[in-house]
Amino acid sequence: MIGRLNHVAIAVKDLAAATAVYRDTLGGRVSDAVPQPDHGVTTVFVELPNTKIELLEPLGEDSPIARFLDRNPDGGIHHLCYEVEDILAARDRLIGEGARVLGGGEPRIGAHGKPVLFLHPKDFCGTLVELEQA
Ligand SMILES: CC[C@H](C(=O)O)C(=O)SCCNC(=O)CCNC(=O)[C@H](O)C(C)(C)COP(=O)(O)OP(=O)(O)OC[C@H]1O[C@@H](n2cnc3c(N)ncnc32)[C@H](O)[C@@H]1OP(=O)(O)O
Ligand SMILES: [Co+2]
């Protein structure tokens, strides 16, 4: 079911500083910062030859990454995003296997304009998993 690794997300308190680290210190190719109000984050993508790094900063009052950053004030790896051929079929299969699909199970449009879902970290080796329609 899961396919390509679309991105690895890193949550940070200071997106500009993190972007400078990936651009200047690591020599990465970074995108502009894009506010994603529906998701409560602002994103920067670092394009790599084989995948992407998604830098995330909280946006707004009840950002879903706020408590993660309280627990990890220096930032940290927040989630992995895998591509799937059919996100609704993947969702139904996962629910059938007892996995917790977050956000009521309805896909939402993510940073790449495609439907995404999130799976509870407690069901996936302590790792927050995002699925993106390929
Ligand atoms: C623009 C879209 C973009 C894209 O790529 O398209 C994005 O990626 S948007 C990314 C931001 N949005 C989300 O992350 C949505 C899904 N996430 C959530 O709904 C929450 O983050 C949630 C429910 C996974 C956790 O929220 P919160 O930390 O506030 O809940 P708790 O404090 O109750 O934590 C519960 C339990 O889970 C552990 N936890 C939380 N986050 C993570 C994580 N990222 N990785 C691993 N574990 C995590 C937390 O430590 C708690 O464990 P416990 O043992 O009970 O203390
Ligand atoms: Co993501």
Side-chain angles (χ1 to χ4, degrees), residues 112-130:
H112 302 124
K114 297 189 176 173
V116 300
L117 281 173
F118 287 89
L119 309 178
H120 202 287
K122 292 296 182 188
D123 298 335
F124 295 93
C125 316
T127 308
L128 180 61
V129 171
E130 179 182 8

Side-chain angles (χ1 to χ4, degrees), residues 25-106:
T25 310
L26 291 174
R29 192 153 57 94
V30 303
S31 74
D32 292 336
V34 178
Q36 301 278 356
D38 289 354
H39 291 272
V41 294
T42 301
T43 62
V44 164
F45 277 92
V46 185
E47 294 291 335
L48 302 177
N50 64 330
T51 189
K52 295 183 271 297
I53 301 299
E54 180 182 51
L55 302 175
L56 296 171
E57 181 185 75
L59 175 65
E61 287 311 305
D62 52 352
S63 171
I65 68 171
R67 283 210 288 243
F68 178 90
L69 285 168
D70 291 341
R71 292 190 294 269
N72 303 278
D74 295 329
I77 294 177
H78 184 259
H79 64 268
L80 302 174
C81 181
Y82 303 112
E83 293 178 8
V84 291
E85 282 309 309
D86 179 338
I87 198 162
L88 294 179
R91 176 202 55 193
D92 294 345
R93 174 174 156 183
L94 288 160
I95 290 174
E97 289 171 6
R100 284 168 283 185
V101 180
L102 301 172
E106 280 314 306

